[in-house]
Amino acid sequence: MSFLPAAYYRGGTSKGVFFNDIDLPPEPKLEQALLSILGSPDPYGRQLNGMGGGLSSVSKAVFVDHASDPSIDLIYTFAQISVDKAAVEYEGNCGNLTSAVVPFGLHTNLIRSSDGRHTFHLLNTNTQKHIAVTLDVLEGQFNPNGLTEIAGVSGSGSKIELQFLDPGGAVTHALLPTEHSREPIQTSKKIYEASLIDATSPVVFVDGRSLGLQTISSPEAIERQTTLMDEVETIRRQAAVRMGIAQNTQNVPMVNPKIALVFPPTTIHTISDEVYADTSHHIAMIMFSMGRVHRAITLTGSMCLAAAIGTHGTIPNKLARRVDDAASLAVKIGHLSGLSTAHADITKSGVLSTSIVRTARLLMDGRVYY
């Protein structure tokens, strides 16, 4: 049995194991270590034999390192670990866990800071994109205490502001990978209209009503519809080829692109039994991640949605209730865990940045065995 120094963080609506890059074993031992640490592959889908929790949002790892560039405080790499397969993917970033990178850096003395509210600059190696993170420091450490609440997380915490700079083309190198705001995607059943957008991460947006859903449904109700789930996955794979992410539908990564079903504002019954009226948000969305219905929405997916709403002719742009001030959008998104707000700063030349507020908390610090 071996071990690695590690910390376990909640970042936004995700949880993951964080490592100092210098402590990691080399490939191919690294992949085997991550699978063992998270408890994958697990045919039971629970990851009881590891740190994972049976869902893509809690089967993740992050590697953090010093930056040689004086304008960058930390460099980090995100790894998505499959629950039921022996697979580790690096094809995209996790926006939620980005909120815990600076807290981990301060905790492990990779960076140092005076007290107060400060902005730190990160480089994500998965996408080669820069992120500005603003948070509170107390006694040289991230101060997790505060009154900020986010949908999908119980309790409150200190406000962490994330700004993703120049987010277009995070994986495909273009905001509109096909140069079109809408694309026809054909399956064996019908032709669907989709918007293929890549801002902070690539997402396939489809009007949920075209798949027979009229409003937000519970994750279990959707996942029981195997024909619907298969059709969603077929659309995602077809779109991935169009976006240039894969050469054929058989070789599409599990992690990207994500696919989201979007709806005009609607009454939302959340998984915590709260009810939100159609007047509470600009657009509603169900996201899928690693073959499952996401219980909230991915952070990068929410910012990609904001960018899509600000892009003329896209499906989200057409379905969303009017958003004030088109140059700096503040989009309220209704989803299975409640409401989230994502921002997009847009000019005639494109999307300058996307941003969102998160919270984070250290859950465990020590050594993890594999």
Side-chain angles (χ1 to χ4, degrees):
M1 182 178 290
S2 301
F3 67 85
L4 291 172
Y8 195 51
Y9 274 88
R10 177 190 62 79
T13 55
S14 292
K15 290 194 291 188
V17 188
F18 280 66
F19 303 94
N20 189 327
D21 194 73
I22 199 172
D23 295 325
L24 295 173
E27 289 285 8
K29 291 183 178 180
L30 175 58
E31 179 169 320
Q32 292 304 313
L34 292 174
L35 290 169
S36 176
I37 288 167
L38 273 298
S40 296
D42 184 355
Y44 302 102
R46 301 178 68 189
Q47 293 177 306
L48 284 177
N49 206 32
M51 299 289 289
L55 294 171
S56 64
S57 58
V58 290
S59 185
K60 301 180 176 186
V62 177
F63 322 139
V64 186
D65 199 3
H66 292 287
S68 57
D69 184 339
S71 67
I72 303 296
D73 294 294
L74 292 168
I75 299 173
Y76 74 101
T77 300
F78 166 67
Q80 178 73 63
I81 293 86
S82 175
V83 174
D84 58 347
K85 299 179 178 65
V88 179
E89 295 191 354
Y90 300 94
E91 281 76 11
N93 185 18
C94 173
N96 276 297
L97 287 190
T98 298
S99 62
V101 171
V102 173
F104 176 78
L106 292 168
H107 179 70
T108 54
N109 294 319
L110 281 169
I111 52 173
R112 298 179 185 274
S113 175
S114 59
D115 289 358
R117 191 160 184 83
H118 298 286
T119 297
F120 301 84
H121 296 274
L122 309 180
L123 173 65
N124 172 246
T125 64
N126 306 78
T127 61
Q128 295 300 312
K129 292 294 185 179
H130 291 202
I131 303 101
V133 181
T134 303
L135 50 70
D136 292 325
V137 178
L138 180 64
E139 297 180 353
Q141 298 293 306
F142 165 63
N143 177 16
N145 301 314
L147 301 177
T148 298
E149 297 181 359
I150 60 174
V153 178
S154 61
S156 64
S158 176
K159 179 189 291 187
I160 302 174
E161 299 171 278
L162 303 175
Q163 183 182 27
F164 287 67
L165 308 173
D166 185 26
V171 172
T172 67
H173 309 296
L175 176 69
L176 297 175
T178 66
E179 300 183 355
H180 301 292
S181 58
R182 295 193 300 274
E183 288 277 329
I185 302 292
Q186 185 167 1
T187 71
S188 61
K189 295 184 179 298
K190 63 183 290 187
I191 297 175
Y192 298 90
E193 195 172 51
S195 290
L196 316 183
I197 313 294
D198 183 4
T200 71
S201 70
V203 180
V204 182
F205 294 104
V206 180
D207 188 333
R209 297 171 299 181
S210 68
L211 282 143
L213 295 176
Q214 298 304 314
T215 186
I216 300 291
S217 302
S218 74
E220 294 79 13
I222 295 172
E223 290 177 349
R224 281 195 297 267
Q225 300 180 56
T226 55
T227 301
L228 170 63
M229 294 293 292
D230 289 345
E231 193 76 343
V232 167
E233 180 62 12
T234 299
I235 297 169
R236 188 187 79 85
R237 289 178 175 271
Q238 294 279 10
V241 176
R242 294 279 185 91
M243 299 172 91
I245 293 174
Q247 292 185 342
N248 56 63
T249 56
Q250 288 73 41
N251 295 322
V252 175
M254 296 175 66
V255 67
N256 273 323
K258 296 287 191 295
I259 184 167
L261 306 185
V262 286
F263 304 83
T266 182
T267 301
I268 295 175
H269 297 265
T270 72
I271 57 178
S272 59
D273 293 326
E274 295 176 294
V275 179
Y276 292 89
D278 57 4
T279 55
S280 66
H281 52 281
H282 297 105
I283 193 166
M285 179 166 72
I286 301 171
M287 289 208 75
F288 296 76
S289 177
M290 306 288 284
R292 299 286 302 276
V293 177
H294 200 289
R295 269 50 183 174
I297 51 176
T298 67
L299 183 142
T300 52
S302 64
M303 290 187 289
C304 189
L305 177 62
I309 288 174
T311 302
H312 181 72
T314 67
I315 291 171
N317 176 264
K318 296 294 185 181
L319 293 184
R321 180 164 56 84
R322 184 179 178 275
V323 182
D324 293 332
D325 190 1
S328 182
L329 303 180
V331 179
K332 292 183 179 180
I333 306 164
H335 54 84
L336 286 165
S337 285
L339 304 178
S340 299
T341 301
H343 301 261
D345 291 321
I346 298 174
T347 67
K348 292 181 179 179
S349 59
V351 182
L352 296 181
S353 68
T354 55
S355 57
I356 201 164
V357 168
R358 298 282 90 178
T359 62
R361 189 165 80 90
L362 174 64
L363 303 175
M364 182 282 297
D365 174 44
R367 302 190 300 179
V368 63
Y369 287 82
Y370 63 98

